[in-house]
Amino acid sequence: MFKVCIVGHGNFSSGVCSALKLLSGSNEQLHYFDLDHNLTHGEYEQQLTAFLTENDNVLIFADMTGGAPHQIATRLLLELGKKNQFILSSVSLNLILDLYMKNSMGILTTDNVSVELSNSMAESKEMLMVMPDISEEKVEDVSVTAEEGI
């Protein structure tokens, strides 16, 4: 089983954990680290270092790619070099909930984590949408054939 860790700016992490508990009824194996005005980057890094050092199997979800929480967590994962610690960034609640539930139900294992992460990310991308649906809007054909003189 993996520990699930949410990292992010402000109250993103604690807010996501609150939503997960509401949707799943559980907060087992769930941890969060908010980077807010009360912490320096050094203090944040110390907290995250302690968590990652103590736990071998970890899924980290970061609010945005390239943000300080993501950068700190990624650097720590690379430095520690543990086989089953992963970070996913720019995550949606759908993606986090899907993997959290798979982990809680024992579907996510160290043997299939790569496949499950890939599948869940692909499914999460499919859930992105704009309303009203603009995918069927006609795009004017501006292609030019060789006969028309490129």
Side-chain angles (χ1 to χ4, degrees), residues 20 93-103 105 116 119-121 123-124 127:
L20 284 174
L93 186 57
N94 284 330
L95 175 62
I96 299 169
L97 180 62
D98 180 51
L99 288 166
Y100 178 71
M101 294 305 293
K102 285 178 179 177
N103 187 53
M105 295 185 300
E116 289 296 336
N119 290 343
S120 291
M121 287 189 301
E123 291 168 8
S124 179
M127 290 184 193

Side-chain angles (χ1 to χ4, degrees), residues 20-55:
L20 284 174
K21 184 173 183 181
L22 178 71
L23 294 169
S24 71
S26 170
N27 64 357
E28 293 178 35
Q29 309 299 326
L30 187 58
H31 306 272
Y32 66 88
F33 296 91
D34 286 329
L35 180 58
D36 59 20
H37 65 280
N38 294 317
L39 287 176
T40 66
H41 284 197
E43 292 168 331
Y44 188 80
E45 183 175 338
Q46 287 176 344
Q47 291 177 2
L48 202 49
T49 299
F51 175 77
L52 293 172
T53 302
E54 294 170 7
N55 297 286

